[in-house]
Amino acid sequence: MADYYHAKVAFDALPPFAPLIPTAALPYLALVLLSSTFGLAFYFTTLPKQSLPLRELAVASTASLLGGFGILALFCSVGVYV
């Protein structure tokens, strides 16, 4: 029981959680990230096809990362904290 007491005292001494990005900014961040994802997806479809698709890979990877973080920001802005 002493371990529980020490853990509870240590837990109570910690400051409350504060996110790095304010929750009021999450809808705007989601809008920017998802808009840029759709813009890059359109740009990806207009790229000329090459034998070594390095530019296509870079554009698709960037769009994928922006889309993933945009969906995460969108979920957090509506209250689904993942």
Side-chain angles (χ1 to χ4, degrees), residues 53-79:
L54 292 178
R55 186 191 294 172
E56 291 177 9
L57 183 62
V59 171
S61 298
T62 305
S64 177
L65 282 172
L66 290 175
F69 284 114
I71 291 294
L72 180 68
L74 184 66
F75 279 179
C76 289
S77 69
V78 296

Side-chain angles (χ1 to χ4, degrees), residues 16-81:
F17 175 74
L20 296 175
I21 299 171
T23 55
L26 287 174
Y28 303 109
L29 181 65
L31 177 70
V32 168
L33 290 174
L34 291 175
S35 298
S36 59
T37 299
F38 289 122
L40 283 175
F42 174 74
Y43 178 67
F44 178 78
T45 60
T46 61
L47 286 175
K49 302 301 177 213
Q50 299 172 351
S51 61
L52 191 60
L54 292 178
R55 186 191 294 172
E56 291 177 9
L57 183 62
V59 171
S61 298
T62 305
S64 177
L65 282 172
L66 290 175
F69 284 114
I71 291 294
L72 180 68
L74 184 66
F75 279 179
C76 289
S77 69
V78 296
V80 181
Y81 297 106

